[in-house]
Amino acid sequence: MEITLLFQIAVIGIITSVLNTILRQANKDEFGQAVTLIGVTIIMARVLIEIGDLFQTIRTMFQF
Amino acid sequence: MDLITVIGICICAVLLSIVLKQYKPEFSFLLSLTTGIIIIILIVSRMTVIIEAFNSIAAKADTRLLHLDVILKIISLGLIAEFAVKLCKDAGESAIAGQIELSAKVIILVLAVPLILLVLDTVLQLVPK
C-alpha cells in the first residue's frame, strides 16, 4: 500500500546514484546529471499526486 | 491503522532516508515529504470521531455561537503549516520555514477575528453599565 511508494523512491534514488558512478567511470558526467534530473522529476510528479490526495482528504475531513 | 503501523512506516522511511542521504540528498528530502503526507492522510482519516463529537455538540448548542467551521479550518491550517515548517527546517531552509510560519499565523488570525470579536462582545455584555 503506501509503503511501496517509499520503496519506489528509495529504489529510484539508488539506481540514479549507481548510474551516476557508472557514467562517471565512462567520463560522461553530463548524462549522469541528466539521469538525476529525470529521477527527481519522476518522483516529484508522483509526490504531487500524493499532495493532491492529502489536500483532498483534508478538505473532505474538515468540511472546507 | 494503529500506532505500531505508523511507527513501522516511519522507521523504514528514516532508514531509507539515511541510505539516500549519502548518495542523493534530494531524494531523502522527497522521501521525508512523502512519509509525512502518508502519515497525515492515515491519521486525519482517524479524526472523524472527534469531528462527529464536535458536530453533535454544535447541533445541540446554537451553531452561530460555536463557529465550528472556523475552528475546524484553523485546526487543519495549523496541521498542514506545522508539517511544512518542520519539513523545510529538516531540509536546512529555516528562512523559508519562517515565511511559512508567518503566513500561517496571519491567515489563522484573519480567520479568528470574528471569534475574538464575539468573545469581547459577550464579555462587554457581562460588565454592568
Side-chain angles (χ1 to χ4, degrees):
Chain A
M1 30 116 188
E2 296 89 357
I3 196 85
T4 54
L5 179 59
L6 296 185
F7 293 143
Q8 280 165 12
I9 292 178
V11 160
I12 291 182
I14 290 167
I15 286 175
T16 40
S17 66
V18 166
L19 274 177
N20 254 340
T21 43
I22 292 169
L23 287 172
R24 204 172 296 129
Q25 301 308 330
N27 52 48
K28 287 201 168 44
D29 281 3
E30 59 279 9
F31 291 113
Q33 272 116 28
V35 168
T36 317
L37 270 178
I38 290 167
V40 169
T41 40
I42 288 172
I43 296 181
M44 185 65 75
R46 189 72 183 77
V47 167
L48 284 180
I49 297 169
E50 285 298 314
I51 291 177
D53 284 355
L54 172 72
F55 285 141
Q56 196 50 38
T57 318
I58 298 275
R59 195 181 295 277
T60 51
M61 191 56 56
F62 290 104
Q63 293 122 21
F64 251 50
Chain B
M1 188 58 71
D2 53 4
L3 192 57
I4 309 297
T5 329
V6 171
I7 292 176
I9 291 178
C10 288
I11 287 178
C12 292
V14 166
L15 266 169
L16 292 174
S17 175
I18 289 172
V19 166
L20 279 175
K21 222 179 249 304
Q22 318 145 12
Y23 306 109
K24 289 281 172 225
E26 57 269 17
F27 287 109
S28 81
F29 172 72
L30 284 171
L31 192 87
S32 57
L33 176 63
T34 37
T35 319
I37 290 172
I38 289 170
I39 301 295
I40 285 186
I41 288 179
L42 290 182
I43 291 305
V44 159
S45 58
R46 300 280 296 211
M47 278 176 70
T48 45
V49 179
I50 302 171
I51 293 169
E52 250 78 41
F54 259 153
N55 287 338
S56 60
I57 295 170
K60 289 200 196 75
D62 173 6
T63 51
R64 189 185 52 76
L65 266 175
L66 271 178
H67 283 288
L68 185 62
D69 55 347
V70 177
I71 293 173
L72 283 181
K73 212 171 276 185
I74 288 177
I75 291 174
S76 55
L77 283 179
L79 190 80
I80 296 177
E82 196 263 342
F83 168 55
V85 165
K86 289 283 193 317
L87 207 61
C88 293
K89 280 212 171 81
D90 230 12
E93 303 288 343
S94 49
I96 298 176
Q99 298 312 318
I100 296 177
E101 209 166 322
L102 172 72
S103 50
K105 281 175 188 154
V106 165
I107 290 170
I108 285 175
L109 200 57
V110 163
L111 272 175
V113 158
L115 250 72
I116 297 171
L117 294 183
L118 184 73
V119 168
L120 288 182
D121 288 349
T122 43
V123 165
L124 284 180
Q125 277 156 18
L126 295 179
V127 172
K129 286 284 179 304

